[in-house]
Amino acid sequence: MKLEFKNVPYNIKEGQIFFLYGNYKRSFDLLCSFITFKLKEKRGNVRIKNCTITEYEKDQSFSQCDLFENKLVCYCIRGIEDKHLEKIRNFSRENRVFILESGDFLKSKKVVEALIKSPDTFALASFNNNMTFSSLCSMILPKLPSVIYNEITKIINETDESLVSLFKKLSLLLDEGNLEDLKNYIKSKQMFLDNLEGISLIRFALQAAIKENIFGKDQSYTGLKLKQKIHFLMDAEIKQKSDYPFNKNYLLRDLTAIKGLKQ
């Protein structure tokens, strides 16, 4: 059955299977880290194991020989395909929690459809969009104002940093309920353009323009109007390196009001 990330905390228990599907793979490590952390809070004696289906089966052969094993094991398994469906249905769930991620799209259509419908599995959609990012925020940092979630979503869109690392930093800022520190962190992420000089400023804007225009990644956090500005910024870099350098004030004036530029 389908489940949103924000509802994961209420459904973590021994024997549960979580199944991640979609084109946004960065959420898998975050989900594994979060569920393991919550299990340790409840039970303490928890081990996390990242493996393939084949490695899991070998691990079970070994575990069956250990009559004194009572540790809860959280198995994080990537690359789930259609051929693995029956194995998943036959998982031994005692002292285990499973976090699975779909593999190649063309090889996992049937398993995705089956596990979405299965009452014994929580299927989580993970796509590269703001809806997924906002739901992840609600899971990790519950009960914050929606405006804060919106700003964190912008940070996720801009950064290549792992989500585990990013949310650890954000969580530390909230350890004592210090929402102002979090707001200041978000503000500093938005204001960093002021610290860039000449060629660095152009290259940053060019990289953001490529992400937005070619890869369809939202770059609204920059405050720049980047649509169809790749060629303009490439030309600006060439001029900066040759006989027509721009001073920083000129660059900042035009980049922060880039919609008024004429090519």
Side-chain angles (χ1 to χ4, degrees):
M1 70 182 74
K2 287 187 177 182
L3 184 73
E4 293 186 45
F5 285 107
K6 64 182 180 181
N7 293 322
V8 166
Y10 312 109
N11 293 282
I12 299 174
K13 60 183 180 181
E14 179 183 331
Q16 189 59 64
I17 297 177
F18 296 91
F19 177 66
L20 200 71
Y21 67 96
N23 64 2
Y24 189 69
K25 304 297 186 181
R26 292 174 62 197
S27 55
F28 182 72
D29 289 335
L30 181 66
L31 183 64
C32 290
S33 177
F34 178 77
I35 290 177
T36 304
F37 175 77
K38 290 298 182 182
L39 287 170
K40 287 180 178 178
E41 280 189 331
K42 292 181 179 180
R43 180 158 169 170
N45 194 17
V46 178
R47 178 165 61 99
I48 185 170
K49 192 170 183 66
N50 294 280
C51 61
T52 63
I53 280 282
T54 301
E55 290 168 338
Y56 165 75
E57 290 176 325
K58 291 179 180 178
D59 189 66
Q60 294 319 289
S61 298
F62 175 78
S63 297
Q64 288 173 5
C65 299
D66 188 352
L67 300 178
F68 302 99
E69 178 67 53
N70 63 357
K71 199 177 274 187
L72 180 63
V73 183
C74 185
Y75 286 97
C76 297
I77 306 176
R78 292 183 182 271
I80 298 298
E81 298 178 353
D82 295 341
K83 62 185 179 182
H84 301 135
L85 182 55
E86 286 307 312
K87 294 179 180 180
I88 294 170
R89 286 171 172 164
N90 294 322
F91 275 165
S92 173
R93 301 193 183 192
E94 185 178 0
N95 288 328
R96 293 169 177 82
V97 171
F98 296 92
I99 307 171
L100 314 177
E101 182 187 59
S102 63
D104 182 275
F105 173 74
L106 295 177
K107 297 179 181 179
S108 59
K109 290 183 178 180
K110 292 181 180 179
V111 72
V112 169
E113 183 179 355
L115 295 184
I116 285 176
K117 295 178 180 178
S118 172
D120 299 323
T121 303
F122 286 126
L124 297 117
S126 180
F127 292 95
N128 191 5
N129 58 41
N130 289 350
M131 185 179 297
T132 291
F133 303 156
S134 181
S135 192
L136 285 169
C137 290
S138 299
M139 178 181 78
I140 304 294
L141 302 169
K143 300 179 181 179
L144 289 181
S146 59
V147 65
I148 295 296
Y149 291 150
N150 292 339
E151 296 304 328
I152 296 175
T153 292
K154 292 178 184 178
I155 294 174
I156 295 174
N157 271 309
E158 87 175 61
T159 186
D160 293 323
E161 181 179 3
S162 79
L163 295 187
V164 174
S165 172
L166 175 63
F167 275 104
K168 276 184 179 178
K169 293 176 183 177
L170 296 174
S171 296
L172 285 172
L173 293 174
L174 290 172
D175 266 353
E176 297 179 1
N178 198 338
L179 189 58
E180 286 305 312
D181 280 350
L182 179 56
K183 289 179 179 178
N184 289 335
Y185 174 81
I186 291 170
K187 185 178 180 181
S188 71
K189 297 287 285 187
Q190 295 172 322
M191 299 297 291
F192 75 102
L193 282 175
D194 290 338
N195 297 320
L196 295 180
E197 299 288 341
I199 197 70
S200 297
L201 183 58
I202 293 172
R203 286 181 174 174
F204 168 79
L206 178 57
Q207 185 181 50
I210 290 171
K211 287 181 179 179
E212 180 172 301
N213 290 282
I214 297 178
F215 297 106
K217 290 196 68 175
D218 180 21
Q219 300 295 296
S220 59
Y221 77 95
T222 64
L224 307 178
K225 298 293 184 180
L226 299 168
K227 188 175 181 180
Q228 297 180 341
K229 295 299 178 182
I230 293 177
H231 291 299
F232 166 78
L233 290 165
M234 291 175 67
D235 185 56
E237 181 171 351
I238 292 172
K239 288 181 178 179
Q240 187 72 9
K241 292 178 178 178
S242 56
D243 300 329
Y244 306 97
F246 300 133
N247 63 46
K248 182 177 179 180
N249 289 336
Y250 178 85
L251 282 169
L252 285 176
R253 184 193 71 198
D254 281 345
L255 285 172
T256 53
I258 205 166
K259 61 183 177 182
L261 287 174
K262 294 182 179 180
Q263 299 188 49

